[in-house]
Amino acid sequence: MQHSLDMLNFSRIFVIAKNVFQEVIRDRILYIIGVYILILAAAIRLLPEVAANTDGKMFLDFGIAAMSVIALIVAVFVGTGLVNKEIEKRTVLMLIAKPISRSEFITGKYLGLSAVLALLIAIMTGIYLIFLQFGHIHHSANSIVIAAVFLFLQTSLIAAVAISLGVFTSSLLAIVLTLAVYLLGNITQDLLKFGKLSNSPGIQQLTQALYLILPDLSRLDLKNYAVYGLQALPEPSALIANAGYGLIYSALLLAIAILVFSRREF
């Protein structure tokens, strides 16, 4: 009996995730892919580094940076609206009135968006590798694929932040706060070092608190390693630990989102 219930819960989550995936794919994905192709086509023609340097390091860096920015935009702008728009339109009342728990609702939304990000990053990575191949730019495909996997983990974490903030605040404020978390999350280690250099106990406590609370997104950023090749990548144990960190942090954010959402009255 319990096994059947667990399967039923999973199927409800799958239906919600599928609906999110289909809606986002239908509305936006082709335009986003088209924009990325245009950006790479313009870059490979215009960046002087491509012509001056056979390694094409500038294009390598630009291509994966553009991929990161596009995935971030999708995670932030779609993620903040996934739950919030249901609340604002009052359609959430019909959804939670059905035999769907609030935890299934949040989990399904997150998994649907994560699937979109996975597909988007996979397609952009393939396009990026094609441009590198036809541009005769020296690169390590393995390093780029690993960096793309960690980009997915990073943007999935940001999607969890966006959904969590979208549960209890407006879409605009959630967007601003999520972008702030992203920016600060990339410099948490620098903030901690700054605090240690400061003579002010208050600043030291603040930077330590920010370091503990904010996600350390630099652990999931392998863009530079993709540019400089496989030999520069961290050890496999470090990669596994960093991937685990991203997954656990995302799970904690979802747990917070579920807790807040379960206490909301509609």
Side-chain angles (χ1 to χ4, degrees):
M1 183 72 176
Q2 183 64 39
H3 178 70
S4 299
L5 183 60
D6 290 340
M7 291 298 292
L8 183 63
N9 290 344
F10 179 79
S11 67
R12 291 198 292 259
I13 291 171
F14 176 77
V15 169
I16 296 170
K18 182 181 176 183
N19 288 337
V20 171
F21 181 82
Q22 290 177 336
E23 179 183 351
V24 177
I25 293 296
R26 182 174 59 248
D27 291 347
R28 302 175 179 91
I29 195 75
L30 292 178
Y31 297 105
I32 294 170
I33 296 300
V35 168
Y36 185 64
I37 292 173
L38 289 176
I39 289 172
L40 290 188
I44 204 166
R45 296 272 302 181
L46 299 176
L47 287 177
E49 185 73 6
V50 176
N53 187 340
T54 54
D55 289 336
K57 288 292 191 294
M58 184 177 288
F59 181 80
L60 271 168
D61 190 42
F62 181 84
I64 200 162
M67 189 191 308
S68 178
V69 170
I70 290 173
L72 173 66
I73 290 171
V74 173
V76 172
F77 285 87
V78 177
T80 51
L82 276 181
V83 177
N84 201 283
K85 71 178 182 181
E86 303 281 10
I87 296 172
E88 291 175 351
K89 294 180 180 178
R90 312 303 291 176
T91 51
V92 69
L93 296 173
M94 293 184 290
L95 290 170
I96 62 177
K98 297 177 180 180
I100 298 174
S101 71
R102 298 193 181 197
S103 60
E104 291 168 353
F105 179 77
I106 295 293
T107 305
K109 292 284 189 181
Y110 172 73
L111 292 178
L113 179 53
S114 295
V116 170
L117 291 169
L119 178 63
L120 179 63
I121 291 171
I123 293 173
M124 287 194 295
T125 301
I127 293 168
Y128 179 49
L129 289 171
I130 290 171
F131 268 89
L132 292 173
Q133 189 70 31
F134 280 94
H136 303 290
I137 298 171
H138 178 73
H139 64 280
S140 169
N142 289 336
S143 295
I144 290 170
V145 170
I146 293 171
V149 170
F150 275 79
L151 174 59
F152 164 70
L153 293 174
Q154 186 186 77
T155 50
S156 294
L157 193 158
I158 292 299
V161 173
I163 291 173
S164 300
L165 292 171
V167 165
F168 64 88
T169 187
S170 67
S171 294
L172 180 59
L173 183 57
I175 288 170
V176 172
L177 292 175
T178 304
L179 289 173
V181 169
Y182 175 80
L183 293 173
L184 291 173
N186 278 288
I187 59 169
T188 51
Q189 294 184 7
D190 294 329
L191 286 174
L192 188 62
K193 292 175 182 177
F194 173 76
K196 290 178 179 179
L197 293 173
S198 174
N199 294 323
S200 170
I203 293 177
Q204 290 178 358
Q205 291 175 0
L206 176 62
T207 54
Q208 287 175 353
L210 288 173
Y211 179 76
L212 292 173
I213 295 171
L214 293 171
D216 185 1
L217 296 177
S218 63
R219 298 179 64 170
L220 304 174
D221 184 0
L222 299 183
K223 289 193 290 293
N224 288 335
Y225 296 106
V227 174
Y228 292 105
L230 191 62
Q231 293 180 346
L233 282 171
E235 293 294 324
S237 58
L239 290 175
I240 293 171
N242 291 340
Y245 169 83
L247 293 171
I248 291 170
Y249 206 105
S250 297
L252 289 173
L253 287 169
L254 283 181
I256 293 171
I258 291 168
L259 179 63
V260 173
F261 191 61
S262 65
R263 295 175 181 273
R264 285 203 61 170
E265 298 293 335
F266 301 105

